[in-house]
Amino acid sequence: MARLPVLLPLPLAGAYDYRVPAGMVPPERGSFVVVPLSGRLMIGVVWDGEADPDLSEKRLRDIQSVLDVPPMTESLRRFVDWVAAYTLSPPGAVLRMAMSAPSALEPPAAKAGWRLSPLGARAKRGEAAARLTEGRRRVLDVMEPGEVYPPGEVATEAGVSPGVVRGMADAGLLESALLPPGQAFPAPDPRRPGPALGEAQAEAATALRAAVAARGFGVTLLTGVTGSGKTEVYLEAVAECVAQGRQALVLLPEIALSTQWLERFEARFGVPPALWHSELGSRRRRDTWRAVAEGKVAVLVGARSALFLPYPQLGLIVVDEEHETAFKQEDGVVYSARDMAVVRARLAGAACALVSATPSLETLVNAESGRYAALHLPTRHGGAALPEVVVIDQRVAPPERGRFLSPALVAAVRETLAAGQQAMLFLNRRGYAPLTLCRACGHRLRCPNCTAWLVEHRLQRRLQCHHCGHAEPIPPACPECGAEGSLTPLGPGVERVQEEAAELFPEARRLVMASDTIPGPLAAAEAARSIAAREVDLIIGTQIVAKGWHFPHLTLVGVVDADLGLAGGDLRAAERTVQLLHQVAGRAGRAEAPGRVLLQSWNPDHPVLQALVANDLDAFMATEAEQRRPGHWPPFGRLAALIISAEDEREADRAARDLGLAAPRAEGVEVLGPAPAPLALLRGRHRRRLLLKARREVMVQPLLRAWLARVPLPASVRVQVDVDPVSFL
Ligand code: ADP
Ligand code: ZN
């Protein structure tokens, strides 16, 4: 009797073996099958490798059925195995990410909806003598003849109760009809002409098109100053891929905020792309997953999880803003979508383009060594000049006491507004104040679950922990000494900058852009529209304003605290600060009027600020590289972190100590720690960290695997493995 290994979407050590029952054609590798597991039925995938011939017949269970879905491609199976091995995750946990729309695997249910009847269609045209209430009229207005609508949708769109719809069916105005199976994804037209490209753009586009046309794996780094037109260039490569009949995937770091990007895509190709992100509704998710598997989606734009969709014909992966930390998934399977995009492309024989104005040092080093091809756009599109960047030395001309905007910045905002242009104040900190202190006893309000201060959010009248989501009302008195009215906010957040701006520039129409005021795509689209329509004079925002926006009338960017992010001693603190501030600065002066950027700093000689002023990021990154190379820090060496956590502090300490004592000893390998994590308490768990640092040529996964296997730990202790850590919290 044939046996096959089946991988289940569960955190198990590997695939389980199942029997192909008599009468069943043995399913091919990659087939989605239904199998029993401890008393219930589950969907799994016929995996590669051989079943264990020694497993007794008695213990084998039968494959129940084979689902009518295209089998998972070999390249995706290899990818699942690869990610699992690289991140030390159970393969089933990775498989689960590739099966994230379970209902897509089931046969599409035939569902009924509503359609206009012939009488209804006549009534809509005003040709039938039916007496129509206001509600019925609205229903007719939203329904097109011949279209079938899901039951709830008609009522919602027309703003009537479901009873109105049922009444219309009884009156013969509507009839029941089957909904078409799943939504269609209109095909982008690759022959539609794009914009006339500038010379450097055209050259880069030709090279990228050629990389796609070669139908093989290769990575290209596309760099260029902000506003140089990199997006138009890689859309040419997308067009090439679509023309070949293959699928293109574009990864964006903040898909929910990318409305301007989506509009540009639609302008270029005539239709919107398919989308993939965590907020997609379940129906849309299911339809998208299935359409991708059936090769009916030509271009998909998504967040990092889109890497795990079952493309049968992948031809191109673009990672836009490749330096963004949002591409790192920090929980569950901890992986870098940028790095895994390269792996996915290699296994699928696809081209990969990494795009950024401020590429990561990792990617730069790969381009310099020739592993990646490199394309560069040296100037802004349409001849717009890069903004002038100036540091305001706060030691010389500080803001007034209790204020955060220095006289020089205030004056610049005034000038800009007086000239009828838009200005932006940037502070990468949500809320009103990052810290609340009792003036009487010095007590600071902190999160009960985390090593973190509570952040005041004045608009919501609450204190919040930005790590675990804990929230509480602002207490009327100090919880420590009981003094009333003694709690004082310390330091600024965007809400406080907005308050100061309201006093200083009362006439300016202000818009705060932070994750709590711009929670999703609709709000982002509305913000972009009102800014473009010049209904806003002053934008006050956190890092979400740095992301790819094109605001043609914005000519001044003021960075309230350019030193923020430099503290903390994180390996990449300087690199990240340069990238973020350069991106923010890049919002200014993108059209005819030249832009200006003012950086408020207490430390104006810092190399990060000097690099921004000189607009010489290449030199800065070269210096960064020289600082990291001798110590074998990434990208010249490898890092892997173990984060040990337990509810009981002593248990966490004991586990960390045991792991520390069992640390691998090998040539070119060093283990740092254990040490309390900077977030020593997170969501009620005590955390300790160990950091393994190795020479580049060392394979860290076998070392880590052996290390973890040497130390038995109680079930209450969790160890998270983070290979190539980005966050050191
Ligand atoms: P980047 O991604 O490099 O920051 P974008 O691709 O966003 O730059 O381009 C900046 C602006 O210039 C956008 O508004 C874009 O539509 C416009 N643009 C870029 N290239 C062209 C072109 N060849 N013709 C017309 N407009 C262009
Ligand atoms: Zn917390």
Side-chain angles (χ1 to χ4, degrees), residues 32-34 41-44 65-70 99-111 181-182 282-283 285-291 293-294:
F32 288 89
V33 292
V34 176
L41 292 177
M42 286 204 73
I43 298 176
S65 60
V66 183
L67 297 177
D68 185 19
V69 198
M99 292 174 57
S100 55
S103 67
L105 301 166
E106 290 152 16
K111 272 181 54 195
S282 62
R283 187 185 163 80
R285 227 179 155 70
R286 162 191 196 293
D287 290 348
T288 306
W289 195 95
R290 201 152 175 124
E294 290 169 353

Side-chain angles (χ1 to χ4, degrees), residues 39 55 80 96 101 107 196 318 361 402 404 423 439 452 473 497 541 568 588 621 719:
L55 196 68
V80 168
R96 186 159 55 196
V318 177
L361 191 55
F404 302 95
R439 254 184 292 118
V497 172
M621 291 304 265
V719 180

